[in-house]
Amino acid sequence: MSVSTIRPARLVGLTSGAALLVLALAGCVPNNPTSGEALTVEITDTTCVVSANTAQAGTVKFSAKNTGSQVNEFEILAADKLRIVGEKENITPGQSVDYVTHLEPGTYYTECKTGMVGEGVGTTKFTVTGKSAKVDASKQQQIDTAVTNYIGYIKDRTAALVPAVKEFTEAYRSGDDEKARALFGPARVNYERIEPTAEAFGDLDPKIDIREGDASEDGVPFIGFHRIEKDLWAPAGFTPSDPAGRAELADGLEQNIQKLYDLVHEPKFTVSLDDISNGAIGLLDEVATSKITGEEDEFSHTDLYDFQANVEGAAVAYGNVRDIAKASGADGAKLVESIDAKLDALNKMLATYGSLDTGFVAYNTLTTDQVKELSDAINALSEPLSKLTHTVLGVSSK
Amino acid sequence: MTGTEREPADTSVTASPTETPSEIAAPTSEVSRRGLLGLAGAALGGLALGGAGGAITATAVAAADTTTQYPFYGEHQSGIVTPTQDRLHFAAYDITPGTTRADLIALLEDWTAAADRLTRGLDVSETGAVGGPALAPPDDTGEAQGLPASGLTLTFGFGPGVFTDAHGNDRFGLASRRPAELVDLPTFAGDALEEASSGGDLCIQACANDPQVAVHAIRNLSRIAFGRASIRWSQLGFGRTSSTSKAQVTERNLFGFKDGTANITAEETDVVNKDVWVGGNSWLTGGSILVARKIRMIIETWDRTSLDEQEHVMGRAKGTGAPLSGGDEFTPVRFHHAGPDGRKLAMDSHVALAHPDHNHGARLLRRGYNFVDGNDQLGRLNAGLFFLAFQADPRTAFIPIQKQLGHSDLLNEYIRHVGSAIFAVPPGAKPGEHIGAGIFG
């Protein structure tokens, strides 16, 4: 049974049981890489063309050439279009590079990332057929793969976050409130997907995402996303910021988002396996404690965007360690089965209220019964998910 | 895994410190357990309690403290004729949409295993609160570590939604198993029911002599249910307002009156067998029907009512609990008969209207509790009586009685029924079997 998706049909690969072992990331190329013709990847600033959209399972070689004017990045995404299963970064203008990876049968997407920021360019479905050519990776290799891919995901999402926030803050700064209101929910999505990472950088998360009730004069002042939200959906009796005030808030948010991008793109940036599994748990806890009450986006009521993004982020983090959990004895297999089923149920429920592509209904239009139903689904998922760290790390760890 | 067994508190001190010399405290608590079991057994088996038995029972009840344990498995569920404990945590659950018959059975199996451990004063699982892996959340939430069983009983029930849901769907293939006694309660005069404290597909009544133990049980059982059932409403109660044993002193409700003087007690085995346990030969035989009503008391108004009027409304003396027709607390009520002070029992007093003589002999076994849920927006205590009544058939018990009370009870001026629910309470589970197994028969 394939579990899916918050965004319809996107987690299929994640749950198909394919071990997406990417053994050949940059600097880690196996000795005998090729078993067939290399696929070419023609990269420009606006296109990303792979010479074929299918390949046989096993070792797949891509020869990428960047003929554009900006540095670029080639990525292979899982069927959820979120989880990175392989990437080649820093392909400079004029450069040709070979990239070799191992792909199991399933559906993937290829894309490039011009300037290594923003959303992907030339996103194209890529199908891998044939028999599973799973290599018997050691647990350490599985862990390394999970960590590498999750770091890739974090970098990728912050790269998409920077321009999305900039578009939002520019509309807000220029007084185009209608546009800014429309962009508020979507702009936050890539932040909410990786929020535990931002939280790991101490004071950065509050500066970006503090809620009015948590702000204080001797602590973090009320700035960031939610302060801007209050201007855009000004409650009665509240005087919104003047243009100078807006510029200051917009600049501050942009700078802090850029700071986040810079921090995760530092060479020394890394995460541990329990960061990943605890990140999945933490994202669900976010939903269960603050999103479900509607206190996150108290002025705009765009909470369902955050809700969806948190769940997606949790699904990606979980997806990265799923194979490790599944291989951890009968309990691990049972846990994975339970998490898959509960995640599927939650995704289906969320899909009834909209999607990130088409937008979500305002959270304050949900009835108490509907909120309870969502809360039940979150609780149902959180209970098995809370056992994930123990399962993937095992008792002896730490 | 003895390491997970909760250490009993210093029970030799807590067990009736004022009444029992310390050197026999431990034996007393031992006697108490046997005595209570004997009591239950006598009630179940229909054996007459002799004078000696009664004496043991009295001792036992006096010592019904935190060391007491009641078995989870048995012919009937504990928590019905069991001498009413001091504290209550009651929870009604809705079964989560998408839950299958197999899921429901699995939930009942999990609940049964947990209930058997919890009622023995153990953590909810073998690894418990602190015996599990460091990187996983503990199975047991831990707030009952060090607390003994505290007389905990866990009593499970099935609401109408188990058989057919609100849309008439037979979710679990159980529609044909709905007992005739499990009726939908009619609307009664004076009902002011709130959806938020009414109904439910499943219920658990947790009674204990320590509130923390009762709350711990509901909390852990709710956690086990996540994904299959979630709490629809729940109620904390204190100060039991009913006695279910003659050895128990009648407690007072928040109106300040003794409540439940005429209750069915465990010692009345014939009455218990006839009016509490469902007879016949069905999956519910040996079980009962539970009616739960949350009754808000407008206590501020009551408190400025004269003593004479209060006693007139109740039909009993506030101090002694004696009926206004005379005698002591347990003197039978005599209608149309003036008491020593010349006052007659009003026919629309609470006592008169609820009396079996005016209800075709109908009787209930009540396990009510007082509640105070903070205050309302006007600064009035949100207080009242959480009424729990067990009976073989509500159509000849709670329903006719409440119809009569709803129409003309003098007390109605001071109360509002704000919550209502009905559950079929299956017989006790046998070891190796889950609670309510017969329903799936």
Side-chain angles (χ1 to χ4, degrees), chain B residues 189-206:
Chain B
D191 275 3
L193 301 183
E194 293 163 6
E195 192 72 356
S197 46
S198 297
D201 294 335
L202 301 166
C203 76
I204 305 174
Q205 172 197 273

Side-chain angles (χ1 to χ4, degrees), chain A residues 372 376 379-380 383 386 389-390 393, chain B residues 133 136-137 223 226-227 230-231:
Chain A
K372 167 99 187 321
D376 285 349
N379 285 332
E383 279 292 326
S386 69
T389 299
H390 165 66
L393 288 183
Chain B
R223 188 173 169 217
F226 279 134
S230 69
I231 292 185

Side-chain angles (χ1 to χ4, degrees), chain B residues 4-8 118 121-123 140 144-149 213 216:
Chain B
T4 62
E5 191 163 337
R6 299 200 303 257
E7 292 295 319
L118 291 168
L122 304 176
D123 280 355
D140 188 285
Q145 293 177 87
L147 299 178
V213 169
H216 171 257

